[in-house]
Amino acid sequence: MWVPQAEQISDRWHLLDNLSAVIRSYLEGYKSDIRTVCENISANEHEKLKSTLLSQKIELPDTKYSALFKKVKELQKEGKLSQRVIAKELGMNRDAVGRYFKLDAYPRNFSEPIDEKKYSSFIRKLWKNGERSAKEIWRKIKEKGYSRDYPHFYRYVQHHVKTHVDIPPLKIKYPTMNQVNRCLFLHSNERTTEESIFIEALYDKIPHLEKLRKRYFEYRNIFLSKLPDKLPTWLVSAKELSIEGLIRLVGGIERDMEAVKNAAIYELTNGQVEGQVNKLKMIKRKGYGRAKLPFLEKQMMILNEL
């Protein structure tokens, strides 16, 4: 039936979904850049973790001389006694006290003997798997031909094995395009720290992405806040981005300007009509092509009765 006084109202959900589809399509063209961003972020995080692990101070058990070093540094900090008096009080050589005065940390110059180098990977593997008894490790490498005595091996463990840091391998997580889209449309206070770093890196890598996201929220606000007069200004700003898909979308909106503006004016929506059309399409695809028109009629009658 023809209703000349009726006004056409575009469906708000489809208007927003069409713009979302443009952004998704735009991101699809930058998959390699998204992968590069993920790789760079993962590499940076791995370097930070590596630096943190390597900078951790590992305290070794005090020896006779390291304990003397601490006492010398404490007395030096107090500044009341001379090197001669400190040496006499601690029973040390004055030259040794002088050397300790110049150092910030106790020197541990235990070099790794050639014997241990042969077994270092095996020793570290045992240590990594939870074996913390130096004597048990010594017994196991003795079975493999190690010839040094236990006291020597114990010193090796103190200086080399306990101070060894295992750096985890670099792992790169590549998000799906759906995850990228979801993260992009989250507000900054809704994102995790990792997600915020990822999106900021995407802004730097992908041209116009930040502006495109801003245009999306401006467009959505036109309908949520009922501001149809802002639509022409938005169309101009959208065209300025020179994105092919966005230009096509703007052209479609301009051709149907009144219906789109009405979507920002009225509460009415054609969502019900869209729902009925979807039901019809579903019924058609379920059997109309095979069962012909009589089957479609029966399906529609059942649907109307429901």
Side-chain angles (χ1 to χ4, degrees), residues 110-118 146 148 152 156 160:
F110 186 89
S111 60
E112 186 171 1
I114 190 67
D115 282 359
E116 279 76 12
K117 284 185 179 179
K118 294 179 183 178
Y146 181 71
R148 306 299 291 268
H152 178 91
Y156 166 78
H160 290 285

Side-chain angles (χ1 to χ4, degrees), residues 109-300:
N109 298 322
F110 186 89
S111 60
E112 186 171 1
I114 190 67
D115 282 359
E116 279 76 12
K117 284 185 179 179
K118 294 179 183 178
Y119 307 101
S120 60
S121 59
F122 178 68
I123 294 168
R124 296 194 198 288
K125 183 179 179 181
L126 291 174
W127 190 268
K128 188 176 180 180
N129 291 337
E131 180 58 76
R132 291 294 183 267
S133 170
K135 184 156 281 188
E136 284 301 316
I137 297 174
W138 175 70
R139 285 172 180 162
K140 288 178 181 178
I141 64 169
K142 283 282 283 185
E143 294 172 1
K144 291 183 173 290
Y146 181 71
S147 59
R148 306 299 291 268
D149 58 10
Y150 174 68
H152 178 91
F153 179 73
Y154 178 79
R155 291 196 299 274
Y156 166 78
V157 170
Q158 294 296 314
H159 288 271
H160 290 285
V161 180
K162 283 191 174 182
T163 57
H164 176 72
V165 178
D166 289 313
I167 306 298
L170 173 63
K171 292 183 180 179
I172 302 173
K173 293 182 180 179
Y174 296 107
T176 64
M177 293 308 296
N178 285 337
Q179 289 173 330
V180 174
N181 285 317
R182 183 197 67 82
C183 188
L184 180 65
F185 290 116
L186 287 175
H187 291 289
S188 57
N189 60 342
E190 297 173 330
R191 296 189 193 122
T192 63
T193 304
E194 292 78 10
E195 289 172 339
S196 297
I197 293 171
F198 174 65
I199 292 299
E200 290 298 325
L202 285 186
Y203 288 160
D204 294 335
K205 193 73 175 176
I206 302 177
H208 305 308
L209 182 61
E210 187 173 8
K211 291 181 180 178
L212 191 55
R213 180 183 182 276
K214 185 178 179 181
R215 296 294 176 271
Y216 173 83
F217 283 104
E218 289 172 351
Y219 187 62
R220 190 177 74 161
N221 189 56
I222 288 172
F223 300 104
L224 293 178
S225 302
K226 300 189 182 304
L227 302 169
D229 294 336
K230 288 191 175 183
L231 188 58
T233 305
W234 183 88
L235 294 174
V236 173
S237 64
K239 280 182 179 178
E240 290 174 353
L241 296 181
S242 301
I243 297 172
E244 185 180 349
L246 191 57
I247 291 173
R248 286 199 301 269
L249 177 67
V250 168
I253 293 173
E254 288 175 338
R255 287 191 297 272
D256 208 12
M257 180 66 80
E258 286 304 315
V260 176
K261 279 189 173 182
N262 286 337
I265 295 172
Y266 300 109
E267 291 288 346
L268 298 172
T269 175
N270 64 346
Q272 283 291 332
V273 176
E274 292 288 343
Q276 295 297 332
V277 170
N278 284 338
K279 284 183 180 179
L280 281 171
K281 288 180 179 178
M282 181 188 70
I283 293 169
K284 178 182 175 182
R285 288 166 184 155
K286 281 173 66 177
Y288 171 55
R290 296 189 300 275
K292 306 302 179 185
L293 189 59
F295 181 76
L296 178 62
E297 290 175 350
K298 289 180 180 179
Q299 287 275 46
M300 287 304 301

